Amino acid sequence: MKKVTYIVVVLVVLVAIGFKLMDNKEQMAAKAAVAEIKSDAIPVAVTEVNSAKLDKSFTAQGNFAPIQSLTLLSETQGQIQRVLKRKGDKVKAGDLLLVVENNTMAADLATAQTNAEKAKRDLERFENLAAGDAITKRQLEDARLAVKSTQGQLVAARQRLNKTRITAPISGEINEIYVEVGSFLNPGTKLYDIVNVDKLKLKVKVSESEVLLVEKGAKVKVKADAGAGQEYEGTVTAIGAQADPSLKFDVEVEVKNAANNNLRAGMYGTAFFDVADQRDALLLPREAIVGSIQNPSVYVVKDQKAALRPVSVGTVTQNQVEILDGVQPGEQIVRSGQINLREGTKVSVL
């Protein structure tokens, strides 16, 4: 009896499982049918054609460069006796950096000075003799030439001595030093790299349409990518007269550094060019354009179908395109999803 009961229970369970499986299969089939129906329409995101103010403002990225940068080379010969400034030190123009052994130059200067004084005394004596016709004109002329020659030698000797005391030609910060006490210098030996970051130049590139909106002397907002959002005021100091191979124009914006020199040469920065000229225009997002700006089209959604329509464009900004002809205010334009569309494709608006 127990065996029969067990068999009956098993059969009941198997039948219940069978009914459940059939029910799930029917539900899956129904969902597949719905999905198949929906798959006839391509999902797209749309935007409406609106009349709004055309903002020609734009941004451009680039790198900061020091307002002044130079590699200081030796103009003298000799052994370094003292090093007064090292890497990381701030200097002002005229500050003493190095002292080179100058015994030979000092002796040369003393000799040149003695020769110059002797030549001057000889000239005075010859001029007195010439007044009494005691010497020839040739002798007097030679005395005058000797004075000029010894004066030139004196000036040269004094310059050679002065060059043994090497000073900073510009204000800034020493970025690198290449010599030490005891180093022997020759003319042309590399001594220091000095950079001035009290002001910096942000060098950016702008397109041919943007360069026409930039004026020399215009004020520009500048931010450093690593500057924690700190904003600086810049001034346009140079605009490229010729485009590079990518049809971009160089623009330089001069920026005054903060008191703690937050900005560093080589940092990335962004310049915000605020263009005040604004007017009403029909605008579309730039991503709504199909094809190139030279041959633009858009997909217009009407009666749940996409129609490809050519348009004429005017001003193009970084985010928007001015539409001159081809669409009307209020029409729905496909903003994303165009890659799957063809003329007359059914669409469903997301």
Side-chain angles (χ1 to χ4, degrees):
M1 185 67 180
K2 290 182 178 179
K3 186 176 182 180
V4 173
T5 303
Y6 176 75
I7 293 172
V8 171
V9 171
V10 171
L11 291 173
V12 171
V13 173
L14 291 174
V15 170
I17 292 174
F19 276 113
K20 183 63 176 176
L21 291 174
M22 290 181 63
D23 185 54
N24 289 344
K25 186 176 181 180
E26 290 176 356
Q27 290 182 7
M28 292 175 65
K31 289 180 179 179
V34 172
E36 186 176 351
I37 293 172
K38 289 185 176 180
S39 66
D40 290 340
I42 303 298
V44 294
V46 299
T47 184
E48 284 192 0
V49 181
N50 292 316
S51 178
K53 293 290 184 182
L54 178 63
D55 189 354
K56 295 183 180 180
S57 300
F58 64 94
T59 62
Q61 288 74 41
N63 293 90
F64 288 101
I67 194 70
Q68 290 176 301
S69 176
L70 66 81
T71 297
L72 182 61
L73 303 179
S74 171
E75 296 182 83
T76 189
Q77 186 177 41
Q79 191 176 52
I80 295 177
Q81 291 182 330
R82 286 192 295 159
V83 175
L84 287 85
K85 299 294 182 179
R86 295 190 172 273
K87 184 174 181 178
D89 290 345
K90 291 186 177 181
V91 297
K92 293 182 179 179
D95 282 355
L96 185 61
L97 305 177
L98 299 172
V99 176
V100 180
E101 182 276 321
N102 61 7
N103 292 337
T104 302
M105 282 75 167
D108 290 343
L109 177 60
T111 300
Q113 194 162 5
T114 299
N115 292 338
E117 291 174 355
K118 179 179 180 301
K120 187 176 181 181
R121 289 194 300 269
D122 289 345
L123 177 60
E124 291 175 353
R125 186 169 63 254
F126 275 42
E127 285 177 339
N128 291 332
L129 293 173
D133 294 329
I135 61 171
T136 65
K137 292 183 178 179
R138 175 65 181 273
Q139 289 175 309
L140 179 61
E141 184 64 25
D142 287 344
R144 289 171 176 168
L145 291 176
V147 169
K148 291 182 179 179
S149 176
T150 55
Q151 284 293 330
Q153 292 170 3
L154 177 60
V155 170
R158 187 176 289 119
Q159 287 181 341
R160 287 195 297 272
L161 181 61
N162 290 340
K163 287 177 181 179
T164 63
R165 295 175 59 84
I166 300 172
T167 59
I170 64 171
S171 299
E173 185 173 323
I174 296 177
N175 195 55
E176 193 58 77
I177 179 173
Y178 298 99
V179 292
E180 274 295 344
V181 173
S183 298
F184 189 85
L185 303 184
N186 285 305
T189 300
K190 190 183 292 188
L191 304 176
Y192 291 97
D193 286 338
I194 305 176
V195 296
N196 184 355
V197 292
D198 290 339
K199 292 182 179 180
L200 296 103
K201 294 179 289 185
L202 179 60
K203 298 181 178 182
V204 302
K205 290 184 178 292
V206 301
S207 67
E208 57 184 359
S209 59
E210 292 167 343
V211 74
L212 298 177
L213 304 174
V214 180
E215 294 183 1
K216 192 172 181 179
K219 300 299 180 183
V220 178
K221 294 178 182 178
V222 174
K223 287 184 180 180
D225 292 0
Q230 185 173 355
E231 192 173 276
Y232 302 83
E233 184 180 85
T235 303
V236 177
T237 55
I239 303 172
Q242 181 176 345
D244 63 16
S246 65
L247 299 182
K248 295 284 188 176
F249 292 83
D250 292 321
V251 174
E252 289 186 2
V253 180
E254 186 175 296
V255 181
K256 185 177 181 181
N257 209 346
N260 55 359
N261 281 359
N262 278 344
L263 296 178
R264 294 284 174 174
M267 282 184 173
Y268 288 103
T270 302
F272 300 85
F273 295 86
D274 187 12
V275 182
D277 182 20
Q278 295 183 348
R279 54 187 171 83
D280 289 327
L282 293 180
L283 302 177
L284 282 177
R286 192 161 183 167
E287 60 265 31
I289 300 297
V290 178
S292 66
I293 294 297
Q294 285 72 32
N295 189 26
S297 300
V298 296
Y299 277 107
V300 181
V301 176
K302 189 174 183 181
D303 298 329
Q304 297 184 332
K305 291 184 179 181
L308 187 62
R309 189 183 299 174
V311 293
S312 299
V313 301
T315 301
V316 179
T317 67
Q318 291 184 331
N319 301 316
Q320 293 181 313
V321 177
E322 178 188 12
I323 305 299
L324 301 177
D325 188 35
V327 294
Q328 298 298 322
E331 287 189 307
Q332 288 192 324
I333 309 298
V334 176
R335 181 171 184 164
S336 65
Q338 302 98 317
I339 191 172
N340 298 315
L341 299 183
R342 299 291 184 272
E343 178 68 29
T345 301
K346 292 182 180 180
V347 296
S348 60
V349 178
L350 297 176

